[in-house]
Structures are given as structure tokens and as C-alpha cells.
Amino acid sequence: MSTLGERIRGIRKNNQLNQIEFANMIGVSQGTLSELEQDKYKPSVDILIVIQDKFKVGLEWLIIGSAEDTYSINLNEKENKLFSGFRKLNNEDQHEIIEIIGIKLKRHRS
């Protein structure tokens, strides 16, 4: 089973973010993030909630790595770029992308 630091590092890498970008997104310094990823420092509840909210991961999985609430998804390179980019969009743009995918799927089925 992975450690909390490994799960945080995995979220960062799956979203193709460097430590500075990820640290800025969750409101900590790059040094603090480095210590979090190395399990030298335990995050506050506030930091865990920010990670859960921004990266849509289960809090139980994030904290204890429970099997029922996994984050680990095997994505190919294109899917990973799409997923990572999608998360960086605002709500309106995300809905627009979903609509575009729906249109493309309808055309594909015809």
C-alpha cells in the first residue's frame, strides 16, 4: 500500500504538474510539498480538503489508501493530457467540452 506522500505525488504527476505548480494550487510552498511527498510532514485537514476538491479524489483514499475509493486509473498518453487539461478548465469550459464529446459520440454512432 502506498503512503500518503506517494499518493500526493501520484496526484501531482497524473496531472502533469511540477512541484511549484501543484504547491501553488494547494496553497503551500514548494519545500512543504517536497516534505509532504517524502512523508516528512503531515498535511493539515485544510490541505487534504483542498487536494480532494481540486483533484476530485476520495478523502478516504487520500488519507488511508482504501481500496474501495481508488484514484489509480491507467490512462494512455492522450487520455492523460485530456484529463489533466480538463481539470485546469473552469466549470463553463468543462461543460462545453462535455457537450462537444456528446456531439462527437452521436456522429460516431450514426
Side-chain angles (χ1 to χ4, degrees), residues 90-103:
N90 64 36
N91 230 7
E92 184 178 321
D93 289 342
Q94 286 179 350
H95 287 293
E96 187 175 340
I97 295 298
I98 291 168
E99 288 176 9
I100 291 168
I101 290 171
I103 291 167

Side-chain angles (χ1 to χ4, degrees), residues 46-61:
D46 291 340
I47 292 171
L48 293 171
I49 290 171
V50 168
I51 293 171
Q52 174 204 22
D53 184 53
K54 288 196 182 286
F55 298 97
K56 309 301 184 218
V57 297
L59 197 53
E60 183 179 355
W61 171 81

Side-chain angles (χ1 to χ4, degrees), residues 3 6 14 26-27 29 32 79:
T3 66
E6 289 168 338
N14 282 340
I26 67 169
S29 70
T32 297
E79 292 167 330

